[in-house]
Amino acid sequence: MRVSRTTLLATAVGTLLSAVAATGTAQAAPPPAAPRYQPEMVTALARSLGVGKDAAVARLDHQAAQQDTLTRLNRSGVATDGAYFTAGGKLTVNVPSAAAARQVRASGLAARVPQRGERALDRIKASLDARALRHAPDGVASWSVDLPSDTVTVHVIPHRTSAAAKSFLEAAASHGRAVRVVRDGQRLAPQSTVYPGSRMTWTNSSGGWLCSVGYGAHDPSGRQYLRSAGHCVADLTDLYYDDASPWTRHTPPTSSSTSAAPACTACPGSGPADHPS
């Protein structure tokens, strides 16, 4: 029987396709999966904890899972008032009542009923921010909300107290034990400069993505912000640092194409230059 060249070609192609389907050797390799966390962040965390990178990633995974749990609690209507990670990586949640504390603990997180809480401390800090905008308190190195101690902590440089600083400290003292003054000579130095248009990386347990910094701004209370497109931070959980209060995100009350995140609320000081990223 005579077999045409067309039949031979079709048979050869069919055989080739069958082999490819059977072995998969000709299929395109899937692209490599993007890392869950920025390599630089993993390296920095591993160095600060004195552990390997795998342990640092496990720590981040554990913290992200706890943040997800907190988000579910908030969405279910459980009242909370700030949260922070302990040195051991345990998320501790401030709550207004014993009943709320039981709900938080039942989910696997730690809970406490603080004397003040994040909202009250934020109001105190905002009043100090506004005073500092009017008269810079030379000699006061920084002031920030410290959730673990349930205070606004003020760091003062000894033997360098200006008249404005004395007035600032008098105002701080009017809040009683809600403000803690530490005379440790702590000095802050800029770690980086954030320019408009700089890359802003968001990372959580679901992956990472990029947005751009818009420009600096502040509200009437003096709180400083970095503005960016609203879709950059939509539906994000709070961002946390070890032993520090969370960054929060701010969405204007009216419809807007922009959102803002505080330049630095979880680290010492009140200016964007204090943040090391």
Side-chain angles (χ1 to χ4, degrees):
M1 180 180 69
R2 183 178 180 183
V3 181
S4 68
R5 294 176 59 189
T6 302
T7 302
L8 284 172
L9 179 60
T11 302
V13 170
T15 303
L16 177 60
L17 291 176
S18 297
V20 169
T23 64
T25 55
Q27 293 179 355
R36 294 194 304 278
Y37 308 105
Q38 291 174 267
E40 299 87 351
M41 180 171 65
V42 173
T43 299
L45 180 60
R47 186 187 309 115
S48 65
L49 296 177
V51 300
K53 291 184 179 180
D54 288 345
V57 169
R59 171 75 167 253
L60 291 170
D61 285 343
H62 181 52
Q63 293 188 170
Q66 293 178 88
Q67 292 181 52
D68 290 342
T69 299
L70 177 58
T71 298
R72 289 193 296 271
L73 286 170
N74 287 329
R75 289 176 177 171
S76 68
V78 177
T80 62
D81 192 14
Y84 62 93
F85 282 114
T86 66
K90 183 71 172 178
L91 185 60
T92 300
V93 184
N94 285 341
V95 292
S97 67
R102 286 192 293 271
Q103 290 177 290
V104 170
R105 293 184 184 117
S107 72
L109 303 181
R112 71 172 186 178
V113 181
Q115 182 177 353
R116 285 168 284 273
E118 185 178 48
R119 294 182 184 88
L121 296 175
D122 280 345
R123 289 193 293 271
I124 294 172
K125 182 181 178 296
S127 69
L128 296 178
D129 291 345
R131 176 175 288 273
L133 282 177
R134 294 192 298 270
H135 303 285
D138 183 35
V140 176
S142 67
W143 58 98
S144 60
V145 171
D146 181 56
L147 285 186
S149 66
D150 197 32
T151 65
V152 173
T153 301
V154 180
H155 290 271
V156 179
I157 302 173
H159 313 301
R160 186 184 157 189
T161 306
S162 63
K166 291 179 180 178
S167 176
F168 181 92
L169 293 174
E170 288 174 359
S174 69
H175 297 285
R177 299 182 66 180
V179 174
R180 180 169 62 105
V181 177
V182 181
R183 301 181 183 277
D184 57 359
Q186 179 194 69
R187 296 176 182 270
L188 302 181
Q191 301 297 309
S192 65
T193 302
V194 180
Y195 296 100
S198 297
R199 188 175 75 173
M200 179 172 61
T201 304
W202 297 96
T203 306
N204 64 14
S205 58
S206 300
W209 57 98
L210 301 177
C211 275
S212 298
V213 172
Y215 51 89
H218 62 78
D219 65 14
S221 298
R223 286 168 58 88
Q224 296 179 310
Y225 295 89
L226 294 176
R227 298 188 66 87
S228 188
H231 62 261
C232 290
V233 296
D235 298 324
L236 280 182
T237 57
D238 291 337
L239 306 180
Y240 293 83
Y241 292 82
D242 290 340
D243 288 324
S245 59
W247 282 36
T248 56
R249 61 186 185 280
H250 170 74
T251 302
T254 57
S255 176
S256 174
S257 61
T258 60
S259 269
C264 186
T265 63
C267 51
S270 59
D274 300 329
H275 187 248
S277 61

